[in-house]
DNA sequence: CGAGAGTCCTGAAGGC
DNA sequence: TGCCTTCAGGACTCTC
């Protein structure tokens, strides 16, 4: 399930293959994703040159241009089971291979997404502005994200701190796995109301989120279940998970059994002794 | 405005 | 063995 480290790993894996390349052909086999892929996307993309791929939260933005006509941005979201793989010699078309973006070099970038929660949309123009991006919170690894930000946004909020940090309008890129891991690292109970966490503890939480994400980034992204890196190798962050998916197993710090609970129809893992 | 539930989807896993 | 149910998850969208 791609979270921010996986999306960033994907971005970095794609960059050397696509930046500067011209799009030769686009095959749309299945357009029914989170939102339908525009039928005109293939026509739009062919002939454009990919100038860069940037990331905003878990959205990837392919900046595409052409000297003779208007460019724009290909907005991609991997949902929870999506991958973008670099296929130097695409051979057999597999199940759920929904989109192929073939470059002039013959290398193909293949979008596969069994659960079809992903997205592929087109933003025309020279600015990457879209309603999906408009009200996103800060990047957790950027300078404008810190404990003060979390503390201020949390004023008066009764939602649990775990659901709070998973809200993309508060901070982007913290998914279910890293939310549990970050709260464990910060020693904060996941069910505590967001408005009842002190400023000092939010400072620690912001730092924990950064550390957790950076750690996962160094490991190449997690591979829990579906994730595959662009070169096909799998990540291995789950081996280092402190609490996620470890219900009943001893806490790595105090040996108390890790506990699980449901929050907003999501599973949360925590240590009742280490987290208050 | 915030909170909470519903929704999309496939595949794996568990129960009987 | 096989069918049925449940769960997994991102994040938008709707209702209250």
């Amino acid at each position: 399930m791609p979270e921010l480290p996986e999306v960033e790993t994907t971005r970095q894996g794609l960059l050397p293959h696509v930046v500067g390349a011209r799009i030769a052909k686009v095959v749309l086999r299945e357009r029914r994703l989170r939102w339908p892929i525009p039928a005109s996307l293939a026509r739009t993309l062919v002939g454009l040159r990919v100038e860069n791929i940037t990331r905003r939260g878990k959205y990837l933005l392919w900046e595409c241009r052409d000297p003779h006509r208007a460019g724009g941005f290909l907005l991609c979201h991997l949902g929870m089971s999506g991958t973008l793989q670099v296929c130097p010699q695409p051979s057999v078309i597999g199940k759920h291979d929904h989109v192929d973006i073939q470059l002039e070099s013959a290398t193909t970038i293949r979008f596969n997404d069994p659960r079809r929660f992903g997205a592929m949309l087109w933003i025309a123009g020279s600015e990457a502005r879209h309603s999906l991006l408009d009200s996103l919170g800060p990047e957790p690894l950027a300078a404008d994200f810190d404990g003060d930000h979390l503390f201020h946004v949390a004023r008066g909020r009764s939602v649990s701190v775990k659901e709070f940090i998973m809200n993309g309008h508060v901070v982007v890129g913290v998914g279910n796995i890293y939310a549990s891991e970050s709260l464990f690292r910060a020693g904060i109970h996941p069910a505590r109301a967001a408005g009842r966490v002190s400023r000092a503890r939010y400072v620690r939480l912001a730092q924990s989120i950064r550390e957790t994400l950076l750690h996962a980034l160094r490991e190449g992204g997690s591979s829990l279940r579906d994730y595959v890196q662009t070169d096909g190798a799998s990540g291995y962050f789950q081996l280092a998970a402190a609490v996620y998916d470890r219900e009943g197993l001893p806490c790595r710090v105090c040996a108390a059994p890790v506990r699980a609970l449901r929050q907003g129809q999501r599973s949360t893992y925590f240590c009742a002794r280490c987290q208050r």
Side-chain angles (χ1 to χ4, degrees):
Chain A
M1 52 215 73
E3 297 206 35
L4 188 141
E6 289 83 348
V7 177
E8 178 61 21
T9 301
T10 296
R11 187 183 78 86
Q12 290 174 14
L14 290 175
L15 280 178
H17 298 277
V18 303
V19 170
R22 203 171 291 275
I23 296 169
K25 186 181 176 185
V26 174
V27 181
L28 304 177
R29 296 187 193 87
E30 174 59 83
R31 293 173 39 221
R32 295 172 300 170
L33 302 184
R34 178 73 171 80
W35 299 279
I37 298 176
S40 57
L41 186 66
R43 204 172 350 111
T44 302
L45 286 176
V46 169
L48 295 180
R49 209 173 83 111
V50 184
E51 301 291 333
N52 198 6
I53 300 180
T54 56
R55 179 185 59 72
R56 180 73 178 96
K58 294 177 191 169
Y59 293 97
L60 288 175
L61 291 154
W62 302 40
E63 185 183 350
C64 303
R65 258 191 261 150
D66 181 276
H68 307 297
R69 63 194 174 103
F73 298 82
L74 176 64
L75 181 154
C76 292
H77 196 294
L78 300 178
M80 62 157 285
S81 59
T83 54
L84 282 165
Q85 280 195 268
V86 177
C87 307
Q89 299 288 331
S91 49
V92 188
I93 294 157
K95 207 173 178 183
H96 310 304
D97 283 340
H98 304 318
V99 180
D100 277 359
I101 297 175
Q102 191 184 316
L103 307 173
E104 274 183 350
S105 61
T107 289
T108 291
I109 309 303
R110 179 165 280 178
F111 178 71
N112 178 290
D113 184 8
R115 279 163 233 188
R116 292 198 266 125
F117 281 12
M120 203 167 270
L121 300 170
W122 178 249
I123 304 172
S126 56
E127 280 185 89
R129 293 215 48 182
H130 193 278
S131 56
L132 289 169
L133 309 174
D134 271 350
S135 57
L136 291 180
E139 290 288 330
L141 302 178
D144 59 340
F145 173 70
D146 57 20
D148 277 351
H149 164 76
L150 290 178
F151 181 75
H152 285 301
V153 178
R155 291 312 81 207
R157 302 283 288 269
S158 62
V159 71
S160 74
V161 63
K162 194 250 191 172
E163 291 172 280
F164 178 68
I165 59 171
M166 284 181 66
N167 182 344
H169 301 288
V170 174
V171 56
V172 297
V174 182
N176 200 45
I177 299 168
Y178 301 131
S180 281
E181 293 296 308
S182 301
L183 287 164
F184 172 76
R185 218 180 247 256
I188 300 171
H189 196 291
R192 179 174 287 273
R196 293 180 171 273
V197 174
S198 72
R199 184 189 293 263
R201 301 185 84 203
Y202 268 130
V203 169
R204 183 161 174 210
L205 179 56
Q207 187 58 31
S208 298
I209 289 170
R210 251 194 300 274
E211 287 168 2
T212 304
L213 293 174
L214 282 171
H215 174 69
L217 259 175
R218 279 198 304 272
E219 305 273 337
S222 125
S223 72
L224 293 170
R225 297 189 175 87
D226 300 329
Y227 180 71
V228 181
Q229 283 183 52
T230 51
D231 64 358
S234 61
Y236 44 88
F237 179 60
Q238 79 278 12
L239 297 179
V243 288
Y244 184 80
D245 206 20
R246 298 193 68 240
E247 183 177 10
L249 295 174
C251 168
R252 298 193 197 278
V253 172
C254 77
V258 170
R259 290 169 55 179
L261 61 85
R262 303 282 299 175
Q263 293 181 291
Q265 291 123 296
R266 284 295 120 77
S267 54
T268 302
Y269 300 89
F270 69 106
C271 171
R273 192 182 293 174
C274 294
Q275 297 172 254
R276 301 287 164 149

